Amino acid sequence: MKKLIDLIQEELVKAFTAAEMDPSYARVSVSNRPDLCEYQCNGAMAAAKAYHKAPIQLAEAVVEKVTDHSVIGEIEAVKPGFINLKINPEFLADYLSKMQNDEDLSVEKAKNPKTIIVDYGGANVAKPLHVGHLRSAIIGESIKRMGRFMGHNMIGDVHLGDWGLQMGLIITELQERHPELVYFDESFTGEYPEEAPFTISELEEIYPCASGKSKEDEDYKKRALEATRELQQGRRGYRAIWKHIMNVSVADLKKNYGNLDVHFDLWMGESDAQEYIPDMVDYLKDNGYAHYDQGALVVDVKEETDTKEIPPCMILKSDGAALYDTTDLATIIQRMKLYKPDEICYLADKRQELHFVQCFRCARKAKLVNDDTVLSFIGFGTMNGKDGKPFKTREGGVMRLERLIGEINDEMYQKIVENRSVKDTDARGTAQIVGLSAIKYGDLSNQASKDYVFDVERFTSFEGNTGPYILYTIVRTKSILGKYKEEGNELKKGALLAPKSDSEKALMLSVSRFNGVVENAFEEKAPHKICAYIYELANEFNHFYHETKILSEQDEARKASYLALLDLVREVLETCIDLLGFSAPERM
């Protein structure tokens, strides 16, 4: 379906053309003065200079040419030259009826679907997820869902950190503790045990212990570096330990990401790109893209238009070791070969922007991607505590994601029990659903690039711009619809009548903007725009609800219209929160 604003604009294009003015001036926007009008056009103001006439004269000439009022109900020229518009109420009701019968709720799918890889995990194996992993997971999941809803082939990749020094450190510490393990016997030729010699809890304790030792003991660090090198060169026993680390870690990561309702299509990591590195290095050297500088292999990526220094992209260190740049470039080659994406989108802390500028420029310069392949980076701000510093535990340490989710769920459980709104047997499950909305909405309602304060008390509130408030609104619509059905009535799609009150029309107008919001939010990769929209829609619904007797309406056709509108509001809100990555309970 075409967007309502586009249909209005088409009418104004006709009017501007009939008034012998360039139709490009017929741009329509949602009114910033809803007390005066619903939509506005400021084209006459912009056209005044070109046509050497007062803006009000041009505006009046355009208004005179609008004769068909089937779409535009009211149109008025006001000084100094604005054109104020109101939609025809019957047309609005008809538009929403068509929207309700459209399985995509009026959203037009992409005419040329793209394959887009979203790199939004970045977790390191053998380490627990902490709050630092929250933003990339939440924002990336939402962008993936929005893209799928728009009809694109979205591929989410966790891109694990699974091939660095941390592996050598774990192997070294494991050998210190259990030198008798068969993995350290180079003469062993049999099959290695299927069961890992450690649990996830033990693994998560081994790594920080080993990391601490390597900072104080130079010999220990050398052994860890050597273990890393031998692992990467294929030492059989070390590869077997690495597989155990991966299996144990990935199982735990899937559980924790699952608690966030975050799901990846690919569970690949840095290790998967290693086989592409040797050929890539040869290609960069043989084709003159890379050169040696003080022993390191680099690619110059600075450009004449740069206003600040952009250092070369380092491919190999002077000792021949690969770096993040190397692995990320090899991963681009791998993705282009296996998936032929139209776009690769990366989510990471905005402080990593320089790294991605270097990698993207290198990939383009060396023709590792097609000319039309989009490489995009969404840099997000930090999640801070009330003190304005990065979010920590009360003890001052980095908070594990599991603990944060647990604390939010406990807070929601207490509020739900105090309200006695659901049975005790359902309270825990409901608390988890509402708690997830508090976390995700609290994050996504902020522009990704900005830092924000994670305020547990505010985010778990049932009032204001919060996830629980949105869910409470959805549950309210479900409750009314449920009572209507309990009375033996059947919901009728397409039963919408022209709005009777200002609040009803405002609600209908808000619903009608759904398709434009989703399209724009995905284009700009901006989930916060969906949050802003559903907060506005929830407010409009609650305003309508408080001043309208819905179930006690005597006019059956009008009542059926109210209920059809409520059902559409529910469907739009539930679709939006699904795009944001959470759901609503039946009661709360």
Side-chain angles (χ1 to χ4, degrees):
M1 285 174 64
K2 284 187 178 180
K3 295 189 283 292
L4 187 58
I5 198 167
D6 290 343
L7 295 170
I8 298 167
Q9 191 159 301
E10 284 176 6
E11 294 301 312
L12 276 194
V13 164
K14 293 176 193 173
F16 269 82
T17 303
E20 298 182 348
M21 292 168 62
D22 191 324
S24 65
Y25 289 113
R27 283 186 64 84
V28 175
S29 61
V30 175
S31 173
N32 55 18
R33 286 290 305 276
D35 54 318
L36 298 177
C37 59
E38 294 155 1
Y39 293 90
Q40 65 188 63
C41 173
N42 304 336
M45 303 283 287
K49 189 174 181 181
Y51 292 96
H52 308 291
K53 286 186 179 180
I56 189 63
Q57 285 181 281
L58 298 176
E60 287 171 344
V62 171
V63 169
E64 281 178 19
K65 297 298 180 182
V66 178
T67 54
D68 180 359
H69 289 281
S70 58
V71 178
I72 298 170
E74 297 176 32
I75 183 166
E76 180 186 15
V78 295
K79 290 182 178 180
F82 300 117
I83 299 172
N84 290 351
L85 306 143
K86 287 189 177 181
I87 197 82
N88 182 319
E90 283 77 17
F91 181 84
L92 178 59
D94 183 60
Y95 185 86
L96 292 196
S97 291
K98 289 174 182 172
M99 180 179 173
Q100 195 162 41
N101 285 297
D102 181 350
E103 63 178 14
D104 297 316
L105 290 173
S106 75
V107 173
E108 289 190 349
K109 300 293 188 182
K111 290 181 176 64
N112 299 300
K114 296 177 180 177
T115 294
I116 302 173
I117 294 177
V118 187
D119 183 324
Y120 66 103
N124 289 309
V125 300
K127 297 182 187 178
L129 288 176
H130 56 77
V131 293
H133 296 107
L134 190 68
R135 299 213 71 189
S136 61
I138 288 176
I139 299 167
E141 181 71 14
S142 180
I143 289 169
K144 182 190 74 178
R145 291 181 181 214
M146 285 193 289
R148 282 192 181 151
F149 190 74
M150 293 299 298
H152 298 289
N153 174 30
M154 307 295 291
I155 302 171
D157 187 5
V158 69
H159 196 62
L160 297 166
D162 64 352
W163 201 242
L165 176 60
Q166 82 237 42
M167 294 302 169
L169 287 166
I170 293 167
I171 290 168
T172 302
E173 183 59 24
L174 192 63
Q175 187 169 19
E176 288 246 318
R177 299 182 182 194
H178 302 287
E180 75 284 356
L181 289 174
V182 70
Y183 308 97
F184 304 113
D185 180 358
E186 290 191 67
S187 64
F188 181 75
T189 57
E191 291 293 319
Y192 291 106
E194 288 187 15
E195 193 172 331
F198 41 70
T199 63
I200 186 64
S201 300
E202 290 166 339
L203 191 57
E204 289 175 356
E205 182 273 324
I206 287 171
Y207 173 72
C209 174
S211 180
K213 283 185 181 180
S214 72
K215 291 170 185 171
E216 297 174 0
D217 185 338
E218 192 60 33
D219 179 63
Y220 187 95
K221 185 175 182 180
K222 283 180 182 176
R223 283 191 288 141
L225 286 166
E226 177 60 20
T228 305
R229 187 186 67 80
E230 289 187 41
L231 166 68
Q232 295 179 353
Q233 289 184 347
R235 180 166 164 176
R236 195 165 162 268
Y238 289 2
R239 284 292 176 98
I241 294 173
W242 177 80
K243 284 180 181 175
H244 285 315
I245 295 171
M246 291 299 295
N247 291 338
V248 170
S249 292
V250 167
D252 187 63
L253 286 170
K254 284 184 176 179
K255 181 192 78 175
N256 282 290
Y257 276 123
N259 289 338
L260 277 176
D261 204 1
V262 168
H263 308 280
F264 299 96
D265 305 289
L266 303 176
W267 282 82
M268 300 180 94
E270 293 171 345
S271 60
D272 293 292
Q274 298 308 303
E275 64 184 275
Y276 296 89
I277 291 177
D279 286 347
M280 179 185 78
V281 170
D282 289 343
Y283 167 79
L284 293 174
K285 288 193 293 187
D286 294 347
N287 288 276
Y289 296 118
H291 65 276
Y292 284 99
D293 183 358
Q294 298 180 31
L297 187 68
V298 301
V299 175
D300 289 327
V301 292
K302 63 182 178 182
E303 296 175 358
E304 289 182 7
T305 54
D306 289 337
T307 56
K308 60 182 180 181
E309 184 65 25
I310 304 294
C313 184
M314 191 178 293
I315 308 302
L316 295 176
K317 292 200 296 186
S318 56
D319 62 0
L323 302 97
Y324 282 123
D325 291 358
T326 325
T327 301
D328 277 349
L329 287 167
T331 301
I332 287 174
I333 292 172
Q334 176 198 38
R335 287 169 173 166
M336 293 302 294
K337 180 181 178 182
L338 299 180
Y339 305 103
K340 299 178 176 57
D342 298 288
E343 179 177 354
I344 308 174
C345 174
Y346 296 81
L347 284 101
D349 189 304
K350 63 185 177 184
R351 290 170 292 189
Q352 292 191 41
E353 183 176 11
L354 177 59
H355 162 73
F356 286 102
V357 168
Q358 291 170 304
C359 283
F360 292 173
R361 286 188 182 183
C362 182
R364 293 217 174 280
K365 181 176 182 177
K367 304 188 187 323
L368 304 182
V369 295
N370 301 329
D371 291 342
D372 58 354
T373 304
V374 176
L375 297 173
S376 59
F377 169 61
I378 299 173
F380 50 80
T382 55
M383 170 182 153
N384 298 324
K386 288 184 181 179
D387 58 0
K389 296 176 182 176
F391 199 80
K392 302 275 188 183
T393 62
R394 291 187 184 87
E395 298 78 32
V398 176
M399 182 175 279
R400 290 179 65 146
L401 205 48
E402 213 169 6
R403 178 172 169 185
L404 175 70
I405 293 171
E407 287 189 4
I408 293 283
N409 288 348
D410 288 344
E411 182 80 15
M412 290 313 317
Y413 176 73
Q414 291 303 322
K415 290 186 176 185
I416 288 167
V417 169
E418 285 168 15
N419 290 342
R420 297 187 182 279
S421 49
V422 296
K423 295 176 183 176
D424 288 348
T425 51
D426 300 330
R428 278 290 174 195
T430 302
Q432 288 178 3
I433 295 169
V434 183
L436 188 59
S437 81
I439 293 170
K440 287 197 168 185
Y441 191 91
D443 187 299
L444 293 171
S445 56
N446 299 278
Q447 194 170 330
S449 61
K450 294 182 178 178
D451 300 346
Y452 77 96
V453 173
F454 193 91
D455 185 338
V456 173
E457 191 175 331
R458 182 168 69 84
F459 288 178
T460 57
S461 173
F462 287 90
E463 297 176 358
N465 191 10
T466 68
Y469 169 71
I470 302 298
L471 296 196
Y472 188 76
T473 302
I474 294 171
V475 168
R476 174 173 273 168
T477 65
K478 288 181 176 181
S479 174
I480 298 167
L481 293 166
K483 286 177 184 174
Y484 185 66
K485 288 175 184 175
E486 284 170 12
E487 292 169 2
N489 300 301
E490 219 175 285
L491 285 171
K492 297 174 186 174
K493 289 193 174 185
L496 284 154
L497 301 176
K500 188 177 177 183
S501 64
D502 289 344
S503 65
E504 185 179 8
K505 191 175 187 188
L507 176 58
M508 292 172 84
L509 283 166
S510 188
V511 172
S512 75
R513 288 197 273 272
F514 170 70
N515 50 11
V517 168
V518 174
E519 186 179 303
N520 180 247
F522 177 67
E523 278 178 6
E524 297 188 14
K525 297 184 176 69
H528 72 277
K529 294 197 168 187
I530 290 183
C531 292
Y533 169 68
I534 58 176
Y535 181 53
E536 173 211 307
L537 180 57
N539 283 336
E540 294 291 3
F541 165 74
N542 284 310
H543 183 204
F544 167 73
Y545 168 79
H546 285 299
E547 68 169 42
T548 308
K549 293 179 179 178
I550 298 170
L551 292 177
S552 60
E553 170 62 51
Q554 296 302 304
D555 183 332
E556 288 302 322
R558 177 60 59 182
K559 186 196 286 189
S561 176
Y562 287 159
L563 273 298
L565 177 57
L566 252 67
D567 196 34
L568 184 54
V569 169
R570 175 202 59 76
E571 198 171 358
V572 168
L573 286 173
E574 289 205 294
T575 300
C576 284
I577 65 171
D578 183 65
L579 296 179
L580 296 174
F582 56 94
S583 58
E586 292 303 310
R587 291 178 296 278
M588 60 186 284

